Amino acid sequence: MTTNRVTFIDTMRGFSLFGILMANLLIFQFGMYGKDELKDLSALDNGAWYFVKIFIEGSFMPIFTILFGFSLIKLIESIRRKKDKSRWSILRRATGLIALGLLHSMFLWEGDILFSYGFMILFLIPFINRKPKTLFIWAGIFLLLITSISFGSAEETKKEQKEIASYIEKADNIYANGSYLDIYDFRANDLPPGMDDAGLVVFLLIFLAPMYTTSLTLFGMGLAKKQSFVNMEDEKKWYKLGALLVPIGLACKSLSFIESNFSGMLLTGGSELLAVGYVCLAALIYKTRPVQRLAPAFESVGKLSLTNYLMQTIICTTVFYGYGLGLYGKLGVFGGILFGIVLYSLQCVFSLAYFKKFKRGPFETILRIWTNWSWNGQIKIKQKGSTLHE
């Protein structure tokens, strides 16, 4: 038995990678901490910075999270149709992502997300067999939880401000002028202020980071169990309601720039609501002619999401870091957006061409082989001497 892929999910995954690239370009150009401390920007760069912060940053990664939960359920359903149990496949999937994430963060870039997604699968195991209604309820609970813990102001002392300014200055110099080994050594040994506590780092990576992504992952799992986005014409009323979250999310994120005890809550909650709104808005316009013309390109990028995500890191670190072209901080925020559009367009062309000759991307193949514990990447069914294609 085979199932058709939900093409809308692949298309949205590809689109989310565009937004993720736009947000990550701030990090590639200005550093993980420096991107929030930019000064003396031109009017054009300042406007571009606010655009990325409000419309993109913090909202496209949650879209990917929704799709991750959706695809996780579809993967499990596919495995269970061919053999009774899926737990070892799920565990291998998790460890495979964790391993890729560790390698990615150690040797290429500190902005990795794969480790958190891999660990999150382990956290989600108790929810896999739950009903959609249960998943939606828990998604709401986690959303309220992560939003509520963002309440309050976190004013930095003068000492902390000085330490972070010193760290950013050193990071800018290393990334702009350092060799690969210089940058590797900096990431490994020069920890940001406040991150020198090993217990805190473990807590952030293993507990807090997955918790921030759990809400929308559960939401995506619930959507998959409801067979959402299959009969899209029948679901239009829900898309219209969900699309109302777009202006609400944008308003919340905009208001978060006004310093108050509610700034963190507005930013966190607004980012999550905006992500759901974007998905619903995209579903609402998905069948229109202009979108259908672009959809195959986004869909191809989405099917190669792991490969394209890692290639974005390789290309951007080579372009911006000192051991490559050394353009760190030189393009500006607006110039970075233009660079991102060009890079993503090239990935669309590459992905479309790639699928004319191959069925899966290289990193997707590796993860599939590990997940299915099979050299050909196919799921082994219980009957002797037979396998079944997914």
Side-chain angles (χ1 to χ4, degrees):
M1 176 187 246
T2 60
T3 56
N4 295 323
R5 294 178 71 105
V6 181
T7 56
F8 173 74
I9 296 299
D10 286 323
T11 304
M12 278 305 298
R13 188 181 291 110
F15 181 63
S16 70
L17 276 182
F18 174 69
I20 290 170
L21 174 62
M22 291 293 104
N24 284 345
L25 277 166
L26 288 179
I27 304 175
F28 286 123
Q29 276 212 90
F30 307 105
M32 188 71 72
Y33 290 80
K35 68 182 178 66
D36 296 319
E37 303 292 336
L38 300 181
K39 298 176 181 178
D40 301 322
L41 293 176
S42 66
L44 183 61
D45 277 344
N46 194 54
W49 186 83
Y50 275 104
F51 173 80
V52 172
K53 286 287 184 178
I54 295 172
F55 285 84
I56 297 176
E57 190 179 72
S59 293
F60 275 77
M61 189 65 72
I63 293 175
F64 198 87
T65 301
I66 294 172
L67 306 176
F68 180 81
F70 191 100
S71 299
L72 178 64
I73 291 299
K74 292 302 179 184
L75 172 67
I76 293 169
E77 289 175 350
S78 177
I79 293 171
R80 288 178 176 177
R81 278 193 301 270
K82 298 163 189 177
K83 56 182 182 179
D84 294 337
K85 298 178 180 179
S86 60
R87 59 175 173 266
W88 289 112
S89 298
I90 296 169
L91 289 172
R92 284 194 295 269
R93 189 75 166 191
T95 56
L97 287 172
I98 289 171
L100 282 173
L102 287 173
L103 292 172
H104 184 216
S105 60
M106 286 174 59
F107 296 106
L108 290 174
W109 189 51
E110 69 271 28
D112 172 74
I113 61 170
L114 300 176
F115 177 88
S116 294
Y117 278 113
F119 192 84
M120 184 170 57
I121 291 178
L122 303 178
F123 184 80
L124 292 170
I125 288 176
F127 296 97
I128 287 173
N129 294 322
R130 303 285 79 82
K131 295 179 180 180
K133 182 178 179 181
T134 303
L135 294 174
F136 292 142
I137 291 173
W138 276 104
I141 291 172
F142 276 107
L143 177 60
L144 290 174
L145 179 61
I146 63 170
T147 302
S148 62
I149 63 176
S150 303
F151 177 78
S153 60
E155 294 184 7
E156 296 176 337
T157 64
K158 289 185 178 181
K159 180 182 178 182
E160 290 171 336
Q161 291 174 350
K162 187 175 181 180
E163 288 176 346
I164 194 66
S166 176
Y167 176 83
I168 291 172
E169 183 179 359
K170 184 175 182 180
D172 288 346
N173 180 57
I174 293 291
Y175 285 124
N177 306 303
S179 66
Y180 174 83
L181 290 178
D182 291 333
I183 294 173
Y184 176 85
D185 181 71
F186 176 77
R187 285 202 311 264
N189 299 308
D190 287 77
L191 298 176
M195 297 295 288
D196 50 356
D197 184 342
L200 176 61
V201 173
V202 170
F203 174 76
L204 291 175
L205 286 176
I206 296 182
F207 294 102
L208 196 58
M211 188 174 71
Y212 266 84
T213 53
T214 295
S215 173
L216 292 187
T217 309
L218 291 173
F219 181 67
M221 291 167 66
L223 291 176
K225 291 198 173 193
K226 294 283 287 184
Q227 302 298 317
S228 299
F229 309 119
V230 176
N231 300 309
M232 299 185 73
E233 288 297 322
D234 298 335
E235 298 174 343
K236 273 195 171 182
K237 62 178 181 179
W238 298 109
Y239 303 157
K240 291 177 181 178
L241 286 173
L244 295 176
L245 294 175
V246 172
I248 294 173
L250 290 174
C252 289
K253 292 181 74 175
S254 299
L255 290 172
S256 72
F257 285 93
I258 302 174
E259 290 293 335
S260 73
N261 287 331
F262 295 96
S263 295
M265 295 180 68
L266 289 167
L267 180 60
T268 301
S271 297
E272 303 267 298
L273 294 178
L274 182 57
V276 176
Y278 277 155
V279 172
C280 293
L281 179 59
L284 189 62
I285 64 174
Y286 180 63
K287 295 295 184 179
T288 61
R289 185 174 297 178
V291 173
Q292 282 298 301
R293 288 178 178 176
L294 295 173
F298 288 117
E299 182 183 343
S300 297
V301 174
K303 288 180 179 178
L304 281 173
S305 58
L306 180 57
T307 295
N308 279 317
Y309 169 69
L310 293 173
M311 286 305 301
Q312 287 176 1
T313 294
I314 294 170
I315 293 170
C316 289
T317 51
T318 302
V319 168
F320 293 109
Y321 288 180
Y323 59 79
L325 299 181
L327 295 180
Y328 185 88
K330 294 181 179 179
L331 291 185
V333 182
F334 183 74
I337 291 176
L338 296 180
F339 171 81
I341 292 172
V342 172
L343 173 55
Y344 186 82
S345 299
L346 291 174
Q347 286 194 305
C348 288
V349 173
F350 166 78
S351 299
L352 285 167
Y354 184 90
F355 278 113
K356 291 181 178 180
K357 292 187 176 182
F358 305 98
K359 290 183 178 180
R360 301 180 189 91
F363 289 102
E364 286 80 3
T365 299
I366 293 170
L367 186 59
R368 184 185 177 91
I369 288 171
W370 173 250
T371 299
N372 294 331
W373 199 243
S374 167
W375 282 113
N376 60 14
Q378 297 171 7
I379 299 173
K380 295 179 180 178
I381 62 175
K382 278 197 166 185
Q383 289 82 358
K384 282 188 175 182
S386 66
T387 58
L388 191 62
H389 290 271
E390 287 187 65

